[in-house]
Each structure stands twice: as C-alpha cells, then as structure tokens.
Amino acid sequence: MLSAFLKRLLFTRQFFIINGKVEVLNVQLVMLPPDVIFEIQNLDEKKSYDIGKKIAHDNMRLFAKKLGTSSEGILKDIQDIYETFGLGAMQIADLDQSKKRAIIRIKDSPTANLYLEKNKKKSSKAICIFISAFLAGTFSFLFNTSVDSVEKNCLAQGKDYCEFIIQSKQSKKIEKIKKA
Ligand SMILES: [Zn+2]
C-alpha cells in the first residue's frame, strides 16, 4: 500500500523505484535496514546528531525547492515527506511558528522497535538520536533558524510513542528564566 502522498507523486511521475534507483520528488533516496542508523548512532551520539541535523536540513531545502515552495509552504507536506524516509509516522502535537517551538510525536520508531527486539527489555532512556536529529534539521529549515530536539519519551522506554520537544536554545533560556 502507498500513502496518498506517494500515490499523488506516482501519478505525476515524481516517485519511482527502478534500475536500482529510489526517487521521491526527483531526490534520490536509499533504502537501508534500520540497523544502519541504529549502529551508527551508537558509535557516536553527538556526531550522529550533528550530521543527521545537517542532512535533514539540506534535504528539506531540496524538497522545498523541488516542490517550488518556501520553508513555510512546505509545512503542510512535512508529515508526508517525513514519512517517505520510513522513520515512523509523524504527528504534530503542538506547533508555534512565532516562538519557533514544536512538539512532535513519532509512532513506530524503527530504532526504538529495533532496540526492543535486540534487548528484549525496555530502555532506561530515550534512544532515538537520529530521529531527534532529523527533526531538529527539518524544523530548523521550517522555522528558518537553528532549533534542537530533545526526546522526552521513547517507545523503547515502553511509552506508546516517541515525543520530541523542538525549540531554539534562545527560547529554552527564556523558559528557564520564567520558571526561576
Ligand atoms: Zn524513541
């Protein structure tokens, strides 16, 4: 089965898998097992986060360009685009464009599923570093400013979904001052 978004792209010849090539919106993608992300993020969490954030940012810019839209215009397609990467289903629980803050829920994180499968027990901490990085990069593009993502709840901890708080370092500081 294909999502409505991919069906639309298929119809307009902007999605295909042929001759060893996977293309979405004329952007080449690679299908790999989630183990690749899982093992790489475990090698170096900080580096994986930084690289993942940059890659997501640059790819969202590319997708926006292909769709002929701005960072704001791409917002309505962001869930669909995100889901073509196979990184789980995205739900926007909260979004404040003026404060450049968002709460994102990801259902069925492939890295969390893999963790549970490999360890046969729950994790004591959130483990979806690459997804966190991917969201940070995506929303940095959407908000036109660098934001970071912190995973507050994770499927690997036995929660129903993974939840990420996305905000800039600046707004985090303001929040701390307000709380103090
Ligand atoms: Zn998670």
Side-chain angles (χ1 to χ4, degrees):
M1 286 296 283
L2 284 176
S3 70
F5 178 70
L6 280 181
K7 275 185 196 155
R8 202 174 86 210
L9 294 184
L10 195 66
F11 188 69
T12 53
R13 294 173 174 272
Q14 289 179 311
F15 167 57
F16 61 82
I17 304 176
I18 197 165
N19 298 331
K21 248 183 153 182
V22 180
E23 277 193 15
V24 174
L25 283 163
N26 303 108
V27 178
Q28 191 172 2
L29 300 180
V30 181
M31 279 193 192
L32 290 169
D35 308 57
V36 177
I37 292 172
F38 188 76
E39 296 300 338
I40 289 174
Q41 73 172 28
N42 290 343
L43 285 178
D44 192 317
E45 293 189 2
K46 171 85 176 71
K47 272 187 194 162
S48 307
Y49 180 88
D50 291 344
I51 293 166
K53 183 177 169 181
K54 187 181 182 316
I55 291 171
H57 179 274
D58 294 351
N59 272 279
M60 287 309 148
R61 190 168 50 195
L62 196 59
F63 277 117
K65 202 176 156 197
K66 300 281 181 181
L67 283 164
T69 184
S70 63
S71 55
E72 274 161 37
I74 205 173
L75 194 61
K76 64 175 168 47
D77 289 318
I78 203 64
Q79 281 158 289
D80 289 325
I81 291 172
Y82 174 86
E83 287 174 16
T84 62
F85 287 92
L87 292 171
M90 178 195 277
Q91 190 207 341
I92 301 173
D94 190 38
L95 180 79
D96 189 331
Q97 217 151 357
S98 61
K99 284 184 185 150
K100 308 199 183 292
R101 197 171 183 276
I103 299 172
I104 303 297
R105 291 179 186 152
I106 301 294
K107 278 195 172 171
D108 251 327
S109 152
T111 40
N113 276 332
L114 200 64
Y115 179 95
L116 292 170
E117 203 182 297
K118 279 183 191 256
N119 294 279
K120 311 272 180 228
K121 66 173 170 95
K122 289 175 199 167
S123 169
S124 59
K125 55 172 192 158
I127 61 105
C128 303
I129 296 140
F130 189 81
I131 291 178
S132 199
F134 201 88
L135 292 172
T138 298
F139 281 86
S140 291
F141 176 70
L142 295 176
F143 290 155
N144 265 319
T145 189
S146 178
V147 288
D148 279 299
S149 160
V150 174
E151 188 175 18
K152 290 286 179 193
N153 286 314
C154 183
L155 182 70
Q157 292 172 299
K159 311 284 182 188
D160 291 338
Y161 46 77
C162 301
E163 188 167 82
F164 302 84
I165 312 291
I166 292 149
Q167 60 189 354
S168 66
K169 285 196 180 100
Q170 198 60 32
S171 65
K172 215 174 170 181
K173 267 186 207 159
I174 293 166
E175 218 168 81
K176 267 190 187 163
I177 294 165
K178 271 185 188 168
K179 272 183 191 166

